Every structure is written in C-alpha cells, then in structure tokens.
Amino acid sequence: MMMSSYIKKNYNQKITLDILSEKFGVSKCEISRNFKKHVGASFVEYINTIRVTEAQSLISCTTASFVDIAVSVGFESLSRFGKVFKQISSMTPTEYKNYIKNMVDILCFLK
C-alpha cells in the first residue's frame, strides 16, 4: 500500500485523512475502510503505533526530553503523547524509560 509507505516516511509530519485523500485522490471513507481491511487497524491507530514505536526507540537510545521526543515523532502536545503512549505501551513514557533502564541494569549484572 503506497499510503502506508508515505506514512512511514512522514509519520513525524501532520498527516490527516484529508491530506491523504488529497495526495492520493481517494476519498477519506475509502482510506479508512482500506486501512481497517488491509492493515487491521484504523488510520489513527496505525500512525500512532508508528509514532510510539519510534518514541520508544528514542527513549531507549537518547537522553532527549519527552517534549523533544513527542515533537520529533509528530505529536503536537506532550499530554497527547503521554496518553497515546500509555494506550499503546500499557505504560507511561517515564515507566517505559525506567523499565528499559532496569533491563539494562539486569543485563549488565548478569555479565
């Protein structure tokens, strides 16, 4: 699906059904229907999953602030980032950062 490639490359930009509809010449309803059918998730679920996955990587590998990470992956507010992150990860960004730190500590201890 060309749209999913476009979203994966531009997830950190503002992407809406209106933008996709105009760019690909397909109705918003058709986009929504096709996402659910072919991807197994709604458009919003799909883009949020991509954004949270990238945020998890940044949390694990950088010392960037949550605000900087949220903005860099395409969230317009820290509160929205936190809410979506928890929905998808079942933990807050802080809990995730602590979880990763604890895992690294355990692995270092086991060496």
Side-chain angles (χ1 to χ4, degrees), residues 36 39-51 84 88:
K36 200 68 163 168
V39 179
S42 73
F43 162 71
V44 172
E45 291 167 337
Y46 181 74
I47 195 165
N48 282 343
T49 299
I50 291 170
R51 287 173 171 164
V84 171
I88 291 172

Side-chain angles (χ1 to χ4, degrees), residues 38-87:
H38 296 291
V39 179
S42 73
F43 162 71
V44 172
E45 291 167 337
Y46 181 74
I47 195 165
N48 282 343
T49 299
I50 291 170
R51 287 173 171 164
V52 167
T53 300
E54 184 60 26
Q56 288 173 327
S57 177
L58 292 171
I59 289 169
S60 301
C61 301
T62 71
T63 58
S65 71
F66 292 142
V67 171
D68 290 341
I69 290 171
V71 169
S72 73
V73 300
F75 287 98
E76 294 181 359
S77 74
L78 184 59
S79 62
R80 180 80 180 133
F81 169 66
K83 181 179 179 182
V84 171
F85 193 100
K86 184 161 184 160
Q87 275 179 330

Side-chain angles (χ1 to χ4, degrees), residues 90-101:
S90 300
M91 58 181 88
T92 66
T94 301
E95 290 168 340
Y96 182 79
K97 185 174 189 165
N98 291 336
Y99 170 77
I100 294 299
K101 183 189 177 307

Side-chain angles (χ1 to χ4, degrees), residues 12 14 19-20 22 48 65 85 102 105:
N12 59 343
K14 182 175 182 172
I19 291 169
L20 292 177
E22 187 175 312
N48 282 343
S65 71
F85 193 100
N102 289 337
D105 289 347

